[in-house]
Amino acid sequence: MPMLSTPYRAYRARPFAAVAADGGTGGGSTARTPPLVSAPQADDAPAVRLLSETLREAARRNASDLHIEPMEQGWRVRLRIDGVLHEMARPPVHLRDAFVTRIKVLARMDIAERRVPQDGRLRLAPSGASQAAEDYRVNSLPTLHGEKLVLRRLEALPADLSLAELGLDEAQQRAVAEAISAPHGLVLVTGPTGSGKTLSLYCFLQRLNGTARNLCSVEDPAEIQLAGINQVNVREKAGLTFAVALRALLRQDPDVIMIGEIRDEETASVAVRAAQTGHLVLSTVHTNDASAACARLVDIGVEPYNLAGSLRLVTAQRLVRRLCPQCRVRGEASQSALIAAGLNVRDSDTTQPYVARGCEACHGIGYRGRVGIHEVLPISETIRELIVAGRGAHEIAREARRGGVATLRDAALARVRDGTTSLAEALAATQAP
């Protein structure tokens, strides 16, 4: 895959010493409001201009993460676009240390400390009156050849984000809306890291947000600030763990509690107890599909009868890349290949999947943006009985299929049939049931 182009030739002059006058010399404090990275000026130091233009290129290409990676000979910058890393043109070698130092200064990190990981935040100033500033979460990690930095772009939550825009079909939207409208119970979103679980939870909170409810969240950390939500950041070094924060929130008269992630028995037990005592609890777990989430909570110590009594709905999700609508073309796929992927005979006879080609609009990638695919599992009485009986994920999954619950593969193939994504992308993102 070709490198993403960036005009690095403009940065062949002025060495590292030029940065000192522009950024200070460190400090490990974290500002409440991240400092701004302003638009580059002609008289800025090369590293200053390089950082500003790199961040703006990342925003222009809608990258979710920036990787600044030291190597034995030089360094590189990679952008994660729609879940896939793409390397930019190699920057000048002599600007590596200045570039890293510039980021650490702006993120309120200690530039003298290179032996341990650090965290910080910075903000990219808007380039136009109609654009909002963009926040980045920064993490540094010592490696063999120097510090590696990853900048996570924290996008603002759209004010009109709906369940449909998450990728849920009409039946799934009804099931989710019913579960999160209940006065109490546990609603779980599951999937791997980077599958959009937090965005789904924020969408649920946004839908429930109003003056009549007290909504609280415990996160590590809060990636998006939501007006009207009481958000708490976990600080484990200070003793503020998920479980400790949850117990405190229960004394804050909450109606809805969002937990960033259920990681251990203590957090799971408090969450289930809260769901049983009149609170709606929204959270995430890391499992491959919806049925496995039930078994996961039992495995970490939740009593099956408590889980069965509190759990209302589990959703599993993935993100698949959207084909660029300007350059997608019809591909060739045999009927046997489509049937092997999971399509029935009738659909395989009428489906001719699109494939990625690449054009200027998508920067030669062939894909632009991502869409969610979902498995939505309402907890029926039969499934509750299976949970109480200690049945495994496979038996719960079989019962879900009998009840008409579509798998992640089914949802992905639906996106292939309507031309949203390619067959290769659908197969890569899901496994056959």
Side-chain angles (χ1 to χ4, degrees), residues 146-220:
E147 285 184 291
K148 178 182 187 293
L149 300 183
V150 174
L151 283 67
R152 165 63 58 89
R153 186 162 158 256
L154 306 177
E155 297 183 87
L157 190 69
D160 57 349
L161 181 64
S162 66
L163 297 178
E165 288 172 329
L166 291 179
L168 297 160
D169 63 31
E170 291 185 2
Q172 291 173 336
Q173 290 175 48
R174 289 194 296 270
V176 169
E178 181 181 354
I180 65 176
S181 298
H184 57 82
L186 178 62
V187 175
L188 295 176
V189 180
T190 185
T193 299
S195 59
K197 300 187 298 298
T198 301
L199 183 65
S200 293
L201 290 182
Y202 282 157
C203 179
F204 300 166
L205 286 176
Q206 192 177 65
R207 186 182 177 95
L208 297 170
N209 196 5
T211 58
R213 292 189 181 96
N214 177 20
L215 280 69
C216 306
S217 74
V218 184
E219 304 170 66
D220 184 24

Side-chain angles (χ1 to χ4, degrees), residues 410-425:
D410 294 334
L413 292 175
R415 294 296 182 176
V416 173
R417 290 197 301 274
D418 65 20
T420 300
T421 193
S422 65
L423 180 62
E425 183 73 5

Side-chain angles (χ1 to χ4, degrees), residues 43-207:
D43 58 348
D44 282 337
V48 174
R49 288 185 285 134
L50 177 59
L51 173 60
S52 181
E53 293 188 6
T54 300
L55 291 180
R56 292 181 188 283
E57 182 71 5
R60 189 175 73 86
R61 297 182 186 273
N62 200 30
S64 60
D65 301 85
L66 289 80
H67 291 242
I68 294 96
E69 300 170 306
M71 297 183 292
E72 187 174 7
Q73 301 293 330
W75 57 301
R76 66 180 178 181
V77 178
R78 294 193 290 172
L79 305 181
R80 188 175 293 280
I81 302 171
D82 297 332
V84 179
L85 284 170
H86 298 270
E87 184 175 356
M88 300 181 73
R90 289 290 173 89
V93 175
H94 73 275
L95 289 181
R96 185 186 77 174
D97 291 342
F99 190 84
V100 170
T101 299
R102 174 66 177 168
I103 293 174
K104 293 178 69 175
V105 166
L106 288 170
R108 300 288 197 266
M109 298 160 71
D110 185 355
I111 64 172
E113 179 56 77
R114 301 181 180 181
R115 300 165 298 176
V116 296
Q118 297 186 64
D119 293 292
R121 285 175 74 124
L122 57 81
R123 172 171 290 184
L124 175 63
S127 57
S130 62
Q131 293 181 317
E134 293 191 327
D135 288 338
Y136 287 82
R137 190 176 72 225
V138 184
N139 176 263
S140 68
L141 180 71
T143 69
L144 286 176
H145 303 297
E147 285 184 291
K148 178 182 187 293
L149 300 183
V150 174
L151 283 67
R152 165 63 58 89
R153 186 162 158 256
L154 306 177
E155 297 183 87
L157 190 69
D160 57 349
L161 181 64
S162 66
L163 297 178
E165 288 172 329
L166 291 179
L168 297 160
D169 63 31
E170 291 185 2
Q172 291 173 336
Q173 290 175 48
R174 289 194 296 270
V176 169
E178 181 181 354
I180 65 176
S181 298
H184 57 82
L186 178 62
V187 175
L188 295 176
V189 180
T190 185
T193 299
S195 59
K197 300 187 298 298
T198 301
L199 183 65
S200 293
L201 290 182
Y202 282 157
C203 179
F204 300 166
L205 286 176
Q206 192 177 65
R207 186 182 177 95

Side-chain angles (χ1 to χ4, degrees), residues 2 8 46 89 103 141 179 183 186 224 239 249-250 308 313 332 340 344 368 381 391 407-408 410 429:
Y8 282 135
I103 293 174
L141 180 71
L186 178 62
I224 300 175
L249 285 183
L250 290 175
L313 180 117
E332 295 182 2
N344 58 42
R368 265 171 47 186
E381 287 303 318
R391 302 302 186 187
T407 65
L408 285 167
D410 294 334

Side-chain angles (χ1 to χ4, degrees), residues 353-369:
Y354 286 93
V355 296
R357 186 175 64 178
C359 65
E360 184 177 346
C362 60
H363 308 291
I365 297 172
Y367 296 91
R368 265 171 47 186

Side-chain angles (χ1 to χ4, degrees), residues 179-187 255 274-281 309-310 312:
I180 65 176
S181 298
H184 57 82
L186 178 62
V187 175
D255 296 296
Q276 291 177 318
T277 54
H279 308 90
L280 179 64
V281 180
S310 60
R312 286 191 174 273

